C-alpha cells in the first residue's frame, strides 16, 4: 500500500502511451476483458486498462525468478497486509477461506471459494457466517488442515506482538474488545469449530460483505504446533502450492513445490513453475534494467514491487519491451498524512493550509507522469465512486500557495518547521512536497526509511512522523474497506498502527461511520461513504495526492502475467509461469 522525473519526461511518457496504449481513456480497469497479447491490436498494447495477459499460457516447470530491491515486511498470515507481500503469500504459500478469481479485468474482483466449499452462508441477519472446508486439504507435511487452525490464526491476529495485519477480525468479531490472542491459552467464543471442517463466526453487528473479508491472510490456517511467535514470519507452514526451502533475509527466498498440495482441491492456483527464487537487495533501477535486457535467467524473471517511473521512458519507445509491460489501475489512493495528534497539525486551519499548499501535479510528475498516475481529488478512488472523479474542494492541482499562506496567518502559525518521513523509493516525491510547502512558508525536512522497515516505522504511534506519504488500497470494492481504516480513531494502536497514519480522532466522523456500517442497503451505504469523504476533505487529516497505475515488467520467457484487480494491479502469482521452462535457470 505504498508506492516517481521532470516535466519533459512526463510529457514524453504521456505521448508514448497515447500512441501505443489506446485502451487507456477513462475506462475502469479491464473493461474490455481482452485475451492475451497475441490477439491485441497494434493500437492497444498490454497494460493500462486492457485486461490483457502477457505471454500467453505458461508451460509447467522451470524456475521463475523474482527480482526486488527489498525484503518482505511480513509473510506471517496474521501480519501480512501490504502489497506485494499479500499477493505473494496468499497465492503461493497459504490459502484462505475465500479468494479472488485469477483473471484479468473486472472478473478479477469477483470472489470464489478457496479452502471453503462456498463463499460463506450468512444467518441471523448477517451477524453469523458459516463456512465448510473442502475435504482432503493438507499441509506441506501431509497433516490435515482443520477449521480450528483457521480459528487459531484469526485469534493470532489479536496478539499485541504480531502487529501489522488486518484489523477486520478485531472490528467485527463479538467479544474481541479486550482479547489479546491465543498465546496465553485464551480463545474467542465468537469463533466456533463444531467439527474439523466447519467454522462459524459470530459478529458484533451484521456485515453483508464478510465473505470479502475472508479473502485476507488472517483467514489462512496456522496449526498451533507450528507457532513460533514473531519468528513465524521466517517460515510460514504451507497450505498452498509452494513451501519455503530457504530464506536468507534481505538476500534470497526460495520456494519449491508443496507435494501435498492437491491441485484438484484448488481451482485458482495453477502452480506452473517448479521453483520460485526471490533475489532481494538489488539497487535502484537495476531490477528494471535487468528485465528490460532479459538476458539469461532474467528472461524468466518478474519484478517486485513495481517499475521505477524513470524506467518507463526506457520501455515505451520499444515495442518489443512495451509488449511485456503490465500497467493496470490500482484502485488505490496515495495521500500525505498529517499527524493530528501533535502540533502543528492538531490545528484544522494548519491542515487546511497544507491541503491548499500541496502541488499534486508535481507528485504525478515525480511518480513518472500523467500516463501512469492521475491527480487525486478525493480520498475515495473512482473505483469506489461509480467511476466518477469526485472533486468537492476544487483546489487547483498545482495548489494555491497564496491562499495557504493566508490560512496559516489566520491561524497564527507562520514559519513552521516540520519533518516528512517517506520510504526510500519515494524520496523524489518527498522532495516535491518539500518544495511545494516551502512556497507557503513551511520548511520541511525529508527523512527516508528502508522499504522493509517503513510500515513498522509508521506503526509506532508515539514516535510517528509529523508527515508521511503512503497509499491505501481497498481490500474489496467498498468504502467500508477504505475510510474507516484511514480515519476511524478507534483503529489507532500504540504499536502496529495501520492505515490511520494521521492518528485522526473525530467523534462526529466515528458516529457517521457507525451509522453507515449499520445500513442494510449497500447502495445507500455507498452514497453515504461518498458524502463522508467530502466531510473528511473539509477536516483535512490528510491530503489526497494521486491515483496510480501499477507499471510492472516481465522477462521475455514469462507467460500468464496480468495485473490482478483484487491485488491492486500486482501481477497475479496464481497463474504466472514460463513459456519454455528449459530456458530458465536457478
Amino acid at each position: 500500500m505504498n508506492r516517481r522525473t521532470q516535466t519533459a519526461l512526463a510529457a514524453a511518457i504521456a505521448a508514448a502511451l497515447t500512441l501505443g496504449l489506446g485502451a487507456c481513456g477513462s475506462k475502469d480497469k479491464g473493461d474490455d476483458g481482452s485475451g492475451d497479447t497475441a490477439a491485441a491490436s497494434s493500437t492497444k498494447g498490454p497494460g493500462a486498462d486492457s485486461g490483457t495477459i502477457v505471454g500467453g499460457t505458461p508451460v509447467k516447470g522451470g524456475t521463475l525468478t523474482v527480482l526486488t530491491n527489498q525484503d518482505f515486511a511480513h509473510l506471517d498470515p496474521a501480519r501480512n497486509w501490504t502489497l506485494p507481500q499479500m499477493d505473494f503469500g496468499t497465492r503461493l504459500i497459504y490459502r484462505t477461506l475465500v479468494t479472488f478469481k485469477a483473471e484479468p479485468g473486472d472478473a478479477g474482483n469477483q470472489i470464489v471459494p478457496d479452502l471453503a466449499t462456498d463463499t460463506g452462508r450468512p444467518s441471523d441477519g448477517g451477524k453469523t457466517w458459516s463456512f465448510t472446508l473442502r475435504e482432503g486439504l493438507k499441509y506441506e507435511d501431509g497433516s490435515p488442515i482443520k477449521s480450528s487452525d483457521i480459528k487459531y490464526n484469526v485469534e493470532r491476529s489479536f496478539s499485541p506482538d504480531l502487529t501489522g495485519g488486518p484489523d477486520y477480525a478485531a472490528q467485527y468479531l463479538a467479544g474481541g474488545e479486550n482479547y489479546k490472542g491465543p498465546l496465553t491459552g485464551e480463545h474467542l467464543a465468537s469463533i466456533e469449530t463444531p467439527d474439523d471442517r466447519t467454522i462459524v463466526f459470530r459478529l458484533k453487528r451484521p456485515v453483508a460483505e464478510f465473505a470479502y473479508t475472508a479473502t485476507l491472510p488472517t483467514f489462512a490456517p496456522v496449526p498451533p504446533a507450528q507457532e513460533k511467535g514473531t519468528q513465524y514470519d521466517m517460515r510460514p507452514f504451507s497450505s498452498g502450492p509452494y513451501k519455503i526451502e530457504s530464506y536468507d533475509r534481505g538476500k534470497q527466498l526460495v520456494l519449491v513445490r508443496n507435494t501435498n498440495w492437491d491441485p484438484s482441491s484448488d481451482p485458482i492456483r495453477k502452480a506452473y513453475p517448479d521453483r520460485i527464487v526471490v533475489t532481494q537487495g538489488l539497487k535502484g533501477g537495476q531490477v528494471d534494467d535487468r528485465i528490460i535486457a532479459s538476458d539469461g535467467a532474467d528472461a524468466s524473471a518478474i519484478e517486485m514491487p513495481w517499475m521505477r517511473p524513470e524506467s518507463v521512458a526506457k520501455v515505451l519507445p520499444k515495442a518489443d519491451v512495451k509488449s511485456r509491460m503490465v500497467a493496470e489501475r490500482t484502485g488505490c489512493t496515495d495521500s500525505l498524512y498529517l499527524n493530528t495528534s501533535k502540533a502543528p497539525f492538531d490545528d484544522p486551519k494548519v491542515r487546511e493550509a497544507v491541503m491548499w499548499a500541496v502541488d499534486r501535479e508535481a507528485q504525478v510528475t515525480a511518480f513518472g507522469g500523467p500516463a501512469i498516475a492521475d491527480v487525486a481529488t478525493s480520498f475515495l478512488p473512482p473505483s469506489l465512486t461509480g467511476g466518477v472523479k469526485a472533486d468537492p474542494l476544487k483546489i487547483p492541482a498545482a495548489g494555491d500557495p497564496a491562499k495557504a499562506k493566508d490560512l496559516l496567518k489566520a491561524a497564527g502559525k507562520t514559519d513552521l518547521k516540520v519533518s516528512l518521513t517517506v520510504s526510500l523509493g519515494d524520496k523524489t516525491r518527498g522532495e516535491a512536497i518539500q518544495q511545494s510547502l516551502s512556497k507557503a512558508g513551511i520548511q520541511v525536512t525529508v527523512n527516508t526509511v528502508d522499504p522493509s522497515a517503513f510500515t513498522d516505522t509508521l506503526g509506532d504511534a508515539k514516535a510517528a512522523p509529523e508527515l508521511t506519504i503512503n497509499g491505501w488500497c481497498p481490500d474489496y470494492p467498498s468504502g467500508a474497506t477504505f475510510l474507516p481504516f484511514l480515519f476511524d480513531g478507534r483503529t489507532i494502536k500504540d504499536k502496529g498502527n495501520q492505515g490511520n497514519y494521521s492518528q485522526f480522532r473525530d467523534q462526529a466522523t466515528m458516529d457517521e461511520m457507525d451509522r453507515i456500517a449499520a445500513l442494510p442497503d449497500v447502495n445507500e451505504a455507498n452514497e453515504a461513504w461518498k458524502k463522508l469523504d467530502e466531510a473528511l476533505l473539509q477536516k483535512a487529516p490528510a491530503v489526497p495526492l494521486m491515483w496510480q497505475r501499477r507499471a510492472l515488467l516481465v522477462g521475455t520467457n514469462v507467460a500468464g502475467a496480468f495485473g490482478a484487480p483484487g491485488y491492486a494491479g500486482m501481477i497475479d502469482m496464481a497463474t504466472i509461469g514460463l513459456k519454455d521452462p528449459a530456458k530458465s535457470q536457478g
Side-chain angles (χ1 to χ4, degrees), residues 101-174:
K101 270 189 175 182
E103 295 183 22
D106 288 341
N109 275 320
Q110 299 174 26
I111 58 171
V112 291
D114 190 356
L115 290 174
T117 58
D118 55 32
T119 55
R121 302 177 300 281
S123 57
D124 189 23
K127 289 182 67 175
T128 300
W129 283 78
S130 303
F131 298 83
T132 301
L133 302 189
R134 300 176 190 267
E135 294 185 5
L137 298 170
K138 296 178 181 179
Y139 289 109
E140 62 178 80
D141 64 351
S143 60
I145 296 172
K146 301 177 182 180
S147 57
S148 57
D149 300 338
I150 296 172
K151 170 182 169 73
Y152 184 73
N153 190 46
V154 175
E155 291 176 335
R156 294 175 76 244
S157 71
F158 287 79
S159 301
D161 292 337
L162 304 180
T163 58
D167 288 340
Y168 290 96
Q171 289 193 40
Y172 292 163
L173 287 171

Side-chain angles (χ1 to χ4, degrees), residues 63-78:
T63 297
L64 176 73
T65 301
V66 181
L67 303 179
T68 179
N69 66 337
Q70 58 189 258
D71 196 356
F72 295 98
H74 298 293
L75 284 177
D76 183 334

Side-chain angles (χ1 to χ4, degrees), residues 507-517 528-529 531-532:
Q507 191 60 50
T509 297
M510 292 186 287
D511 290 344
E512 179 61 6
M513 287 176 176
D514 290 343
R515 187 191 73 81
I516 299 171
W529 288 123
K531 290 181 180 178
L532 179 58

Side-chain angles (χ1 to χ4, degrees), residues 151 155 173-176 179 186-193 200-202:
K151 170 182 169 73
E155 291 176 335
L173 287 171
Y179 183 59
E186 293 185 52
H187 297 281
L188 273 176
S190 54
I191 310 176
E192 301 171 4
T193 53
V200 180
F201 299 94
R202 301 198 182 278

Side-chain angles (χ1 to χ4, degrees), residues 11 16 31 143 147 166 204 217 316 323 325 349 378 389 397 401 410 423-424 447 492 500 520 545 556:
D31 282 346
S143 60
S147 57
K204 300 174 185 176
L316 296 180
S323 70
M325 187 177 83
K349 281 295 180 186
S378 62
K389 180 180 177 180
S423 179
L424 186 60
N447 302 311
I492 300 169
N500 193 344
L545 299 176
T556 54

Side-chain angles (χ1 to χ4, degrees), residues 247-264:
Y247 187 9
D248 186 358
R249 294 214 66 156
K251 296 180 180 178
Q252 186 182 78
L253 177 133
V254 178
L255 300 182
V256 294
R257 290 193 182 279
N258 170 12
T259 56
N260 283 295
W261 170 76
D262 183 357
S264 68

